[in-house]
Amino acid sequence: MIRCKADSFVYSLNEIEQMKQSIAFCKKHAVAGFVFGALTKFGEVDVFACKELIDAANPLPVTFHRAIDECIEIEASIRTIITLGFKRILSSGKANSAIEGIHQLKSWQKKFGQQIIFLPGGSVRSSNIVQLMQNTACSEFHSAAVTNDSGNCDATEIKKIKQLILQHA
């Protein structure tokens, strides 16, 4: 994930340059793709910033992250993200978690799923992955696989999620 601050998705030109440098560094170290997103102060996709970052990431695939959940005109933003060439959108469906946003994710998948991959994320765990799969028709998911207060990824949780995906695919 390419992000230079945690409190906002609105970036200055200097911050965009920092992000481009991070992308260049990661490309030198053989990453498979990038996740980022940028918004204007009006809650719209920042087309300029995204184009700059996409160009820097080229030819690797790019995913627009949960900044989408802060967009004002969400469907217009999805169309813009598709036009820009993003391959995926990571979203909780404008909710605190993917389960809470399940109906919105299903709606977007139905409307735009032939044009872009929706990647439900936000508290995706083995306890809810089957429900998300069955109710959104999405085929890819994002999970931090955190199961305790440590904030660390849990290897057993990853195995459970993977097993459930394989069983229900």
Side-chain angles (χ1 to χ4, degrees):
M1 180 172 305
I2 303 297
R3 189 169 177 192
C4 60
K5 58 185 175 182
D7 63 337
S8 172
F9 298 113
V10 179
Y11 301 109
S12 69
L13 291 175
N14 185 46
E15 290 168 330
I16 294 166
E17 287 303 316
Q18 290 174 21
M19 293 166 74
K20 287 167 53 176
Q21 289 172 13
S22 294
I23 288 170
F25 174 84
C26 291
K27 284 173 80 173
K28 287 181 184 177
H29 292 86
V31 299
F34 295 97
V35 180
F36 54 78
L39 303 179
T40 68
K41 64 182 178 181
F42 304 108
E44 300 169 334
V45 174
D46 185 333
V47 172
F48 169 79
C50 287
K51 280 184 180 179
E52 289 284 309
L53 297 171
I54 290 168
D55 287 348
N58 190 41
L60 298 173
V62 291
T63 297
F64 196 92
H65 63 42
R66 288 185 60 187
I68 187 70
D69 295 324
E70 295 188 16
C71 289
I72 305 300
E73 296 291 333
I74 197 85
E75 291 195 5
S77 297
I78 292 170
R79 286 186 201 91
T80 299
I81 290 165
I82 292 167
T83 300
L84 283 167
F86 283 91
K87 301 300 180 203
R88 290 171 180 76
I89 297 175
L90 170 60
S91 174
S92 63
K94 287 193 75 106
N96 290 326
S97 70
I99 281 293
E100 291 175 48
I102 198 167
H103 298 294
Q104 189 61 69
L105 290 163
K106 178 180 180 176
S107 173
W108 296 337
Q109 174 66 23
K110 185 175 182 181
K111 189 166 189 171
F112 299 103
Q114 296 298 315
Q115 301 167 69
I116 196 161
I117 297 166
F118 283 93
L119 190 63
S123 299
V124 173
R125 303 292 184 267
S126 60
S127 61
N128 60 26
I129 189 74
V130 174
Q131 183 182 1
L132 285 164
M133 290 174 67
Q134 293 174 342
N135 290 290
T136 64
C138 293
S139 60
E140 296 182 17
F141 301 87
H142 168 73
S143 178
V146 175
T147 58
N148 57 41
D149 293 335
S150 73
N152 295 325
C153 184
D154 181 335
T156 302
E157 178 68 358
I158 293 169
K159 289 175 186 174
K160 286 181 187 177
I161 292 170
K162 183 178 177 182
Q163 182 181 17
L164 288 165
I165 290 172
L166 294 172
Q167 286 175 352
H168 293 90

